[in-house]
Amino acid sequence: MAWHGTGYRRERTRLREWWGITTRDEWLTALKDLQECESHSGVWQFVLQLRRTIARDFGGHVDAGYWRQAAANVIRANSAGSVVITEDGATQTEPRPESETEARIEGVQRLIGRITRYEARMRADGVLDEGGYVSSVDAWDLGRASKMARWGLGARFGTLQEAESAVVQAGRTAARSYRSWQDFSAGYILGRCLHFDEEEFGEWYTDMVAAHRILMTDPGSPWLNIPFR
């Protein structure tokens, strides 16, 4: 944990250029968002949570067509307007324009297509088991939280004790969200690719698959020697 990365100046530059972080407070805010899994797209979260709900209620495999239709149904229902109860009383929300609703549905259904294609490739490459799917992309935030803690240490925005505490917290959250190192890895890879790869299956994907294979097979790998939970 006492790693200082590429050195003080380069770590500061990295955080400024990639994250817009130039102060300790900004680093703490970014770290908190990552630890709480709030730095990835809410739309990703919506579609994956919807699939988890369908799988839980109906058991097992979720057909992609059914998943797309369910997403459309939820978006249309949420766009119709409703009564919101607050401390100040009841408020009627206005329906969204139909064109906006249909655009949202189209975007979400495209995302579902991207996810299913990435998962098919991950099954072919051995990242996912046959019939397996990614439960969430919280791993993308939690993996970056671990790195953000180290970056902050290298840039002298935080202390060694703060970095250690952040990594331990990220590990505990991961253990609640995933069942194994393999599940965590698949969530991280999907999140990374949705963020960067644009379905090119380029280095953003292949580098992580190579790392996954090493960590799942090398006798000295911590994944084979340290229990995930």
Side-chain angles (χ1 to χ4, degrees), residues 161-181:
Q161 290 73 25
E162 286 175 319
E164 288 177 341
S165 177
V167 171
V168 169
Q169 182 180 331
R172 288 173 177 164
T173 303
R176 292 193 295 268
S177 299
Y178 298 94
R179 296 172 298 174
S180 66
W181 289 110

Side-chain angles (χ1 to χ4, degrees), residues 68-179:
R68 289 188 179 94
Q69 187 57 53
N73 293 342
V74 171
I75 293 169
R76 288 194 179 102
N78 290 340
S79 299
S82 61
V83 176
V84 178
I85 306 298
T86 68
E87 293 179 357
D88 299 323
T91 302
Q92 177 73 42
T93 63
E94 294 296 324
R96 291 193 179 97
E98 183 178 353
S99 59
E100 179 183 327
T101 298
E102 293 306 313
R104 289 188 179 196
I105 290 171
E106 183 180 351
V108 164
Q109 291 182 335
R110 283 200 304 269
L111 173 62
I112 289 172
R114 289 181 67 199
I115 290 171
T116 56
R117 288 188 289 275
Y118 273 118
E119 289 175 331
R121 177 66 178 268
M122 284 193 280
R123 284 190 286 270
D125 290 336
V127 174
L128 287 170
D129 293 333
E130 186 63 33
Y133 62 88
V134 175
S135 60
S136 85
V137 290
D138 285 356
W140 172 232
D141 279 359
L142 295 171
R144 291 185 297 166
S146 175
K147 193 68 172 179
M148 181 62 72
R150 292 170 166 84
W151 285 333
L153 180 63
R156 301 177 196 167
F157 288 139
T159 66
L160 176 60
Q161 290 73 25
E162 286 175 319
E164 288 177 341
S165 177
V167 171
V168 169
Q169 182 180 331
R172 288 173 177 164
T173 303
R176 292 193 295 268
S177 299
Y178 298 94
R179 296 172 298 174

